[in-house]
Amino acid sequence: MSTTGSRNYRPNLHFTPPAMWTNDPNGMVYVNGVYHLFYQHYPKAPHWGPMHWGHAVSRDLLHWEHQPIALYPDEMGYIYSGSCVYDKENVSGYGTKEEPPLVALYTNHDPDGEQRQCLAYSTDGVHFEKTIHNPVIPNPGISDFRDPKVFYNPVKNCWSLVLAAKDRVHFYQSADLKHWEKTGEFGPEENLAPGIWECPDLFQARTEDGDSIWVLVVSMLMDTEDGRSRTQYFLGDFDGDRFFVTEKADEVLWLDFGFDNYAGVIFQNMEEPVLLGWAMNWEYANETPTGEYCGQMTLARKLRVGRTDRGLRLISEFVGLEKLTARLEEVEGPQKLESETFLLEMEGTGTIVLSNEQGEELIVEVTEDEILADRSRAGEQEFQKSFPTPAYSALSVPRLRKDGRLLLVFDVSVLEVFADDGAVPVTMVAYPTKPYDRVAAEGAGKVRICQWKEQ
Ligand code: FRU
């Protein structure tokens, strides 16, 4: 693939690597006012390759400062996805109580062999040492065995982790983050969307009536026609060893209804769950027309659980966009766009059309019953064979909260729509060959916009 790209598609607010390839967010952890984002990275080409962990830090989840590569492939293989925790009590012994270490658990993937879980630690938040005791969780004879997500277990007051094991997840616990003992499994009997499970996460989210509920998130390489890579979740309880579904649903609960939000997990060491995903789909990830970089993260979204017309569902809220929401101005008629990045709010039903002089259009529509999004004429399509097909062009989702408002962020080549007050998130990339320079709202209720300027 060429590294020049057709034009600069780099978003302003969404994280992109300094150059070359990224997929999953990894090791996200919040320490003393700083958000750490590690990420699957191949620094030598804008396509997937031997995986490293790239690293960036931010104080506001919008401006990221690149850091040196944190983990390089080694004699055990590539560095696949995993997580970091801030080991405040220094149970691992890799730091001190005064200067607690960051402890990373990740998968080593041997391209000719197996996958197993390994540990690395850092005392300065930048440089990582791998332990000589790796692997800390050897492979139990399962070909897909990866993506450990460590979390604090409030039931047993210890560290636990959840990892993906082919068509299910396994839970482990540890007193020192180094020795791990299996405590249980979940799936596949509750799963309505078969596939290979990847990048699980387990956390508690607040409900709108003041309680909390456990959420198990799993990304899946799908066997079905629902699109290649999607993320679903289950709502239930965690007894300290295992997870159980308590809110049975007769449909798959999708974390996002768009084509491009995968492998999302939450930051460790925060009061409330804040998730970032990879804003891409494996189906065409390696062939996007972005040139010298490839792949980006979603914006950060805070998650809670709310009652909707179809039962309890995750509700997403943008984090870090307060400056934009404070400056929203009414859209009267079709309006010129001065910026390739903007936030828009719509109350009620209506259609929003972003367009350019090439006649390219990205369309989002809210009807009485559905949320629709259509990128079939939004810009470049032919860079890969599936991208222009109906399965990846347009979608419609039943509404979940009919009186809810819609917030939309468009950022150069990434669209994130939070419809129905955040109950229907839709994330997708689009590649307009010229920037969209016009926004029109047809038959719409009140529409307000704030265009972004670098500050
Ligand atoms: C998910 C995934 C993970 C794996 C990583 C490899 O997108 O397939 O399961 O650890 O990407 O880059």
Side-chain angles (χ1 to χ4, degrees):
M1 102 164 261
S2 112
T3 53
T4 45
S6 3
R7 77 174 184 92
N8 184 4
Y9 283 121
R10 255 187 211 271
N12 292 306
L13 304 179
H14 289 73
F15 173 81
T16 47
M20 306 305 171
W21 169 267
T22 186
N23 55 292
D24 314 353
N26 294 147
M28 290 188 291
V29 58
Y30 181 63
V31 184
N32 300 328
V34 175
Y35 297 94
H36 289 260
L37 166 65
F38 301 86
Y39 54 93
Q40 289 285 278
H41 186 39
Y42 183 45
K44 295 197 179 139
H47 54 70
W48 194 85
M51 282 293 112
H52 301 52
W53 270 27
H55 183 199
V57 292
S58 172
R59 289 187 174 270
D60 63 2
L61 292 165
L62 296 176
H63 299 84
W64 293 95
E65 211 179 289
H66 295 296
Q67 301 290 306
I69 288 177
L71 293 170
Y72 285 82
D74 54 35
E75 62 294 341
M76 291 178 73
Y78 303 167
I79 313 296
Y80 268 20
S81 288
S83 50
C84 267
V85 295
Y86 183 50
D87 176 17
K88 271 187 215 154
E89 300 298 323
N90 189 35
V91 295
S92 65
Y94 289 126
T96 60
K97 278 206 179 169
E98 293 67 43
E99 290 185 60
L102 281 185
V103 177
L105 268 289
Y106 60 92
T107 302
N108 245 137
H109 168 84
D110 175 354
D112 306 313
E114 50 188 28
Q115 300 182 335
R116 52 252 148 138
Q117 318 319 323
C118 292
L119 183 152
Y121 59 92
S122 172
T123 49
D124 64 3
V126 180
H127 303 95
F128 280 77
E129 267 319 308
K130 293 169 184 158
T131 164
I132 52 162
H133 303 295
N134 281 333
V136 292
I137 305 181
N139 188 294
I142 302 171
S143 57
D144 294 288
F145 184 68
R146 58 180 177 266
D147 309 339
K149 177 71 202 268
V150 185
F151 60 94
Y152 194 72
N153 179 338
V155 187
K156 296 175 97 176
N157 292 322
C158 66
W159 291 103
S160 284
L161 71 76
V162 56
L163 58 78
K166 210 178 182 93
D167 60 354
R168 64 197 68 197
V169 293
H170 290 181
F171 299 100
Y172 288 75
Q173 71 178 34
S174 173
D176 61 5
L177 291 162
K178 299 187 275 201
H179 301 89
W180 291 92
E181 177 198 346
K182 188 172 166 194
T183 61
E185 297 188 1
F186 172 82
E189 56 290 335
E190 305 276 1
N191 179 20
L192 303 173
I196 295 293
W197 296 32
E198 301 189 309
C199 299
D201 201 352
L202 183 69
F203 52 85
Q204 279 176 292
R206 294 230 174 100
T207 60
E208 285 170 333
D209 43 21
D211 288 339
S212 66
I213 189 163
W214 285 89
V215 186
L216 176 69
V217 169
V218 256
S219 287
M220 322 215 35
L221 293 177
M222 311 284 298
D223 296 343
T224 62
E225 287 145 19
D226 284 311
R228 175 103 182 276
S229 29
R230 295 197 70 178
T231 303
Q232 61 165 320
Y233 63 92
F234 303 89
L235 297 175
D237 200 8
F238 177 62
D239 67 3
D241 293 330
R242 277 170 300 165
F243 171 85
F244 307 89
V245 170
T246 54
E247 295 296 322
K248 290 217 185 290
D250 49 15
E251 59 185 2
V252 182
L253 305 186
W254 298 118
L255 182 90
D256 193 299
F257 295 88
F259 306 113
D260 302 301
N261 185 352
Y262 195 64
V265 289
I266 65 159
F267 282 89
Q268 199 267 323
N269 198 33
M270 287 187 73
E271 298 269 297
E272 287 181 282
V274 171
L275 179 134
L276 277 190
W278 174 41
M280 199 18 78
N281 192 307
W282 275 119
E283 183 67 17
Y284 40 77
N286 276 285
E287 287 146 273
T288 56
T290 50
E292 44 79 52
Y293 81 97
C294 191
Q296 58 278 314
M297 301 306 163
T298 66
L299 296 175
R301 42 182 84 177
K302 197 190 283 179
L303 299 175
R304 63 181 197 279
V305 170
R307 201 155 286 289
T308 71
D309 301 350
R310 293 162 90 99
L312 286 185
R313 294 289 185 273
L314 277 181
I315 307 291
S316 299
E317 192 185 324
F318 289 117
V319 188
L321 296 185
E322 295 73 17
K323 276 197 190 141
L324 294 184
T325 40
R327 293 206 317 255
L328 285 166
E329 286 170 15
E330 213 140 319
V331 176
E332 303 289 359
Q335 184 165 321
K336 197 148 174 46
L337 291 168
E338 314 286 344
S339 171
E340 287 187 76
T341 300
F342 51 89
L343 178 140
L344 188 144
E345 178 199 68
M346 179 168 84
E347 282 165 24
T349 57
T351 307
I352 296 160
V353 183
L354 310 179
S355 60
N356 61 16
E357 66 205 35
Q358 305 324 87
E360 294 164 349
E361 289 185 339
L362 179 59
I363 303 167
V364 176
E365 189 179 353
V366 178
T367 70
E368 283 301 325
D369 303 314
E370 285 180 319
I371 311 293
L372 301 110
D374 185 347
R375 67 176 178 188
S376 60
R377 289 180 295 127
E380 285 191 64
Q381 306 259 49
E382 302 299 332
F383 52 84
Q384 193 271 344
K385 66 177 186 334
S386 301
F387 194 86
T389 61
Y392 293 96
S393 293
L395 55 86
S396 67
V397 186
R399 294 196 63 181
L400 290 177
R401 280 186 161 176
K402 294 201 174 165
D403 51 357
R405 69 171 184 160
L406 170 144
L407 271 185
L408 170 162
V409 173
F410 185 76
D411 189 15
V412 186
S413 56
V414 190
L415 172 73
E416 293 199 46
V417 179
F418 287 3
D420 284 4
D421 276 340
V424 182
V426 178
T427 304
M428 60 173 75
V429 294
Y431 301 108
T433 56
K434 290 262 166 63
Y436 297 131
D437 56 5
R438 185 172 181 271
V439 56
E442 292 159 14
K446 193 155 143 203
V447 178
R448 300 193 301 156
I449 193 167
C450 176
Q451 305 201 38
W452 182 82
K453 293 186 200 92
E454 181 59 270
Q455 29 221 299

